Each structure stands twice: as structure tokens, then as C-alpha cells.
Amino acid sequence: MNSQQILDLYTWAPGVCFQHPDAGAIETTVVQELRTRLGPVEGIRACPSCILAMEARRQCLAAEAGVVYEPGHAGAPL
């Protein structure tokens, strides 16, 4: 898959990327949810460049582990 096909697997909305908070509100997607005891569930958001980096890392890890890589799950474990 190319980069745009991978990005198309995600739902995008304005938000703050966890790696680039100084960029302010940009297009992001939720990759994890942070659940606290007392507060609401908070989405941890990532921008397109972070998603592509996370997907590349997951692909390498999948190859090393000998498991099938499935794009579209950047925040999930293999």
C-alpha cells in the first residue's frame, strides 16, 4: 500500500498530535484512549506523519516476529 492508502484507513478530525503539540490543531486521528479513574476518556491523537512512522514501525516489527502486517491499527499492538 502507498502512504495515502494507509492514511485513508483512518478517520481524521482537527486535534493536537501527541508528538507535535506546538503545531496546534491539525488533522489527527485517535490512536489510543486514555482512561482515568475520575475523568472522561481522552483520545490520544496523531498526525499523518506520525501515523506513517507508526505504521512503518509496526510493519518492521511484524516482519521480525513473522506475523502478517495489517495496516490501519497504528496504536494497537501486533
Side-chain angles (χ1 to χ4, degrees):
M1 296 183 96
N2 68 37
S3 296
Q4 188 58 53
Q5 290 171 318
I6 291 172
L7 294 174
D8 288 344
L9 297 173
Y10 293 91
T11 302
W12 300 93
V16 178
C17 176
F18 77 102
Q19 289 279 12
H20 306 106
D22 293 340
I26 56 176
E27 286 297 297
T28 60
T29 189
V30 175
V31 292
Q32 282 285 338
E33 290 184 338
L34 179 63
R35 299 175 189 277
T36 62
R37 289 186 188 191
L38 302 175
V41 174
E42 296 281 336
I44 298 173
R45 305 188 71 84
C47 68
S49 63
C50 288
I51 289 294
L52 293 175
M54 293 167 75
E55 288 286 359
R57 180 69 179 142
R58 288 185 79 245
Q59 187 173 22
C60 288
L61 291 171
E64 290 172 7
V67 298
V68 176
Y69 163 68
E70 184 178 331
H73 309 283
L78 289 177

